[in-house]
Amino acid sequence: MNRAELVKIIREKKSVLCVGLDTDLNKIPKHLLEEEDPAFAFNKAIIDATRDVAVAYKINTAFYEAQGLKGWISMEKTLNYIPKNIFTIADAKRGDIGNTSEQYARTFFYTYPYDSVTVAPYMGADSVQPFLQFEDKWAIVLGLTSNAGSADFQLQDCSNEKLYEKVLRTVASWGTPENIMFVIGATRKEQLQHVRSLLPEHFFLIPGVGAQGGDVATVCDNALNKDGGVLINVSRGIIYAGSGTDFAEKAAVAAKEYQQQMAAYL
Amino acid sequence: MNRAELVKIIREKKSVLCVGLDTDLNKIPKHLLEEEDPAFAFNKAIIDATRDVAVAYKINTAFYEAQGLKGWISMEKTLNYIPKNIFTIADAKRGDIGNTSEQYARTFFYTYPYDSVTVAPYMGADSVQPFLQFEDKWAIVLGLTSNAGSADFQLQDCSNEKLYEKVLRTVASWGTPENIMFVIGATRKEQLQHVRSLLPEHFFLIPGVGAQGGDVATVCDNALNKDGGVLINVSRGIIYAGSGTDFAEKAAVAAKEYQQQMAAYL
């Protein structure tokens, strides 16, 4: 999916909601465990319940990889089930030397035809560039994350700037706002304003809303741009909104509430 | 595998050779493509040809993931075929927020029972610590890599040291030389001496020998410690030493040559 198409669905749906499918077999409603493919049964119901208000789905590959082959089968069925006019993200945090990153790009753009994949920047240009060679595909590179560990390296001073600022500035120069987004796990007003001032055009994938403490209003007040320019991810706050047989209805209500908060800004 | 066991096999075999199974279906001998599982057929022959001199095998997961389910099947068969007294590395470069890193640790220590997995440090402590909770399992954290892109961030000044030095020092404090190793893609004498002086006890996984330009003598002269303390990985220089029906014999010869160079130091 290219940028114009993404912006179009944001405007049509008045939403920047990304639903995170961090599907954990220990957390899904117990009655689904009797299904042949519990993870897919859960995801299918969540997608049906949220597709009208979601502009993106983010599949956290770790939760599927941990199940071995059957996890990859659930993941592929989920990816295929997502409507083609919704943006898809493989949240896989890959990145390696060039010939290996080429294999990861092949994995998540071809073998599994996602629109985008999250990428870790530590190994530098030749680890990111292989992800930028595919038309209408995106690398979503880690900039500033929302976890406690972000202070260990990302927030350290690095030649007159923070490491994450150097990463944003440097990685942005390797591609364009048409093929690079950044993970910005900021939840504070000042951080969001600052990052937006550094990169006025780029899309940001913003986790950390809901279970991780951020809120939609602060993100929208401080990080939107003329195209929307953000994808706000909510995982646990939607997919585990309910834990009984009405989990999908509860997810629909939660997703709709998030979308309505966003609509006021779009 | 714990440290004492690893040191024992290094001493017995007089070897610190790690054979990298970056098995690319476009590069393996053509006659193997007729096999039911060409990647496994290739790996099985390489393992048989090198098991007497290798102390570790490193499986580059990207090359298997790119093949989808059949790649994961080849990978699992390969892992199961590696003798239990040889150290195994999932070269997967994972790392994410805590609850997600837990899933990756489960993937590579339990679903696929490797001894170790390579980990990217950008997201900090809570992204690495889940890999340190398993007895006799190891996180091999990216320190300094050998690719051109290492200059982009790893070699940048960061509060009076290089970023990779801060990573080594900080990550080392999260565990012990019994459960953390580092990827050190150094090929120059000064770098190797410097990194060894920073971390006298830790094991280093050293890629970059062979196709990437490094040599065994420089590594052994400058980075060995009393326990060996290095695993020198060679991938293309061994597994693609030949391209015909005698590829395994060629691999055996190449591996033996590397081991004999190492034996002079051990």
Side-chain angles (χ1 to χ4, degrees), chain B residues 70 72 85 90 99 160 195 209 226 257:
Chain B
K70 69 179 195 292
W72 285 89
N85 60 354
N99 76 328
N160 302 318
V195 174
V209 167
K226 65 180 180 355
E257 284 177 4

Side-chain angles (χ1 to χ4, degrees), chain A residues 60-62 65-66 72 93-94 96 100 103-104 107 111 121-126 143 147 149 152-154 157-159, chain B residues 60-62 65-66 72 93-94 96 100 103-104 107 111 121-126 143 147 149 152-154 157-159:
Chain A
N60 185 330
T61 60
E65 293 179 43
W72 285 90
K93 310 285 198 305
R94 299 299 200 265
D96 206 313
T100 300
Q103 298 289 330
Y104 284 128
T107 305
T111 307
Y122 188 72
M123 293 181 69
D126 51 297
N147 61 322
D152 292 316
F153 306 119
Q154 297 165 30
D157 290 322
C158 197
S159 314
Chain B
N60 184 332
T61 59
E65 293 180 43
W72 285 89
K93 309 286 200 305
R94 298 300 199 265
D96 206 314
T100 301
Q103 297 291 329
Y104 285 128
T107 304
T111 306
Y122 188 72
M123 294 182 67
D126 51 298
N147 61 322
D152 292 316
F153 306 119
Q154 297 165 30
D157 290 322
C158 198
S159 314

Side-chain angles (χ1 to χ4, degrees), chain B residues 202-217:
Chain B
H202 284 78
F203 264 85
F204 302 151
L205 172 62
I206 302 193
V209 167
Q212 292 179 62
D215 69 276
V216 168

Side-chain angles (χ1 to χ4, degrees), chain B residues 179-247:
Chain B
N179 65 5
I180 295 179
M181 300 187 186
F182 289 98
V183 175
I184 301 293
T187 50
R188 297 207 333 268
K189 172 182 172 180
E190 299 74 20
Q191 282 180 319
L192 289 161
Q193 288 180 346
H194 176 60
V195 174
R196 180 50 81 201
S197 74
L198 293 176
L199 295 171
E201 296 293 326
H202 284 78
F203 264 85
F204 302 151
L205 172 62
I206 302 193
V209 167
Q212 292 179 62
D215 69 276
V216 168
T218 304
V219 173
C220 288
D221 273 330
N222 298 289
L224 287 182
N225 68 16
K226 65 180 180 355
D227 287 338
V230 300
L231 297 173
I232 298 179
N233 183 73
V234 182
S235 297
R236 288 168 271 184
I238 290 176
I239 70 174
Y240 302 135
S243 59
T245 53
D246 63 345
F247 73 98

Side-chain angles (χ1 to χ4, degrees), chain B residues 44-80:
Chain B
K44 182 171 179 293
I46 294 288
I47 292 166
D48 286 338
T50 58
R51 59 192 289 169
D52 290 341
V53 294
V55 297
Y57 287 100
K58 179 171 80 64
I59 293 183
N60 184 332
T61 59
F63 286 82
Y64 302 84
E65 293 180 43
Q67 303 299 319
L69 290 186
K70 69 179 195 292
W72 285 89
I73 292 169
S74 302
M75 191 186 79
E76 183 168 25
K77 285 155 70 179
T78 301
L79 179 63
N80 289 339

Side-chain angles (χ1 to χ4, degrees), chain A residues 22 24 26-27 60-70 72-73 76 91-101 103-104 106-108 110-112 118 120-127 142-154 156-159 163-168 170-171 174 212 236, chain B residues 22 24 26-27 60-70 72-73 76 91-101 103-104 106-108 110-112 118 120-127 142-154 156-159 163-168 170-171 174 212 236:
Chain A
D22 301 11
D24 185 337
N26 294 314
K27 290 188 182 163
N60 185 330
T61 60
F63 286 82
Y64 302 83
E65 293 179 43
Q67 303 299 320
L69 290 186
K70 69 178 195 291
W72 285 90
I73 291 169
E76 183 167 24
D91 193 6
K93 310 285 198 305
R94 299 299 200 265
D96 206 313
I97 61 172
N99 76 328
T100 300
S101 274
Q103 298 289 330
Y104 284 128
R106 182 182 161 87
T107 305
F108 293 109
Y110 179 80
T111 307
Y112 301 99
T118 56
Y122 188 72
M123 293 181 69
D126 51 297
S127 71
L142 294 178
L144 179 61
T145 60
S146 56
N147 61 322
S150 64
D152 292 316
F153 306 119
Q154 297 165 30
Q156 296 294 309
D157 290 322
C158 197
S159 314
L163 175 62
Y164 83 90
E165 296 172 317
K166 182 181 290 293
V167 166
L168 295 179
T170 307
V171 175
W174 300 335
Q212 293 179 62
R236 287 168 271 184
Chain B
D22 302 12
D24 184 338
N26 294 314
K27 291 189 182 162
N60 184 332
T61 59
F63 286 82
Y64 302 84
E65 293 180 43
Q67 303 299 319
L69 290 186
K70 69 179 195 292
W72 285 89
I73 292 169
E76 183 168 25
D91 192 5
K93 309 286 200 305
R94 298 300 199 265
D96 206 314
I97 61 172
N99 76 328
T100 301
S101 274
Q103 297 291 329
Y104 285 128
R106 181 181 163 88
T107 304
F108 294 110
Y110 177 80
T111 306
Y112 301 99
T118 55
Y122 188 72
M123 294 182 67
D126 51 298
S127 72
L142 294 177
L144 178 61
T145 61
S146 56
N147 61 322
S150 64
D152 292 316
F153 306 119
Q154 297 165 30
Q156 296 294 311
D157 290 322
C158 198
S159 314
L163 175 60
Y164 83 89
E165 296 172 316
K166 182 180 290 292
V167 166
L168 295 179
T170 307
V171 175
W174 300 335
Q212 292 179 62
R236 288 168 271 184

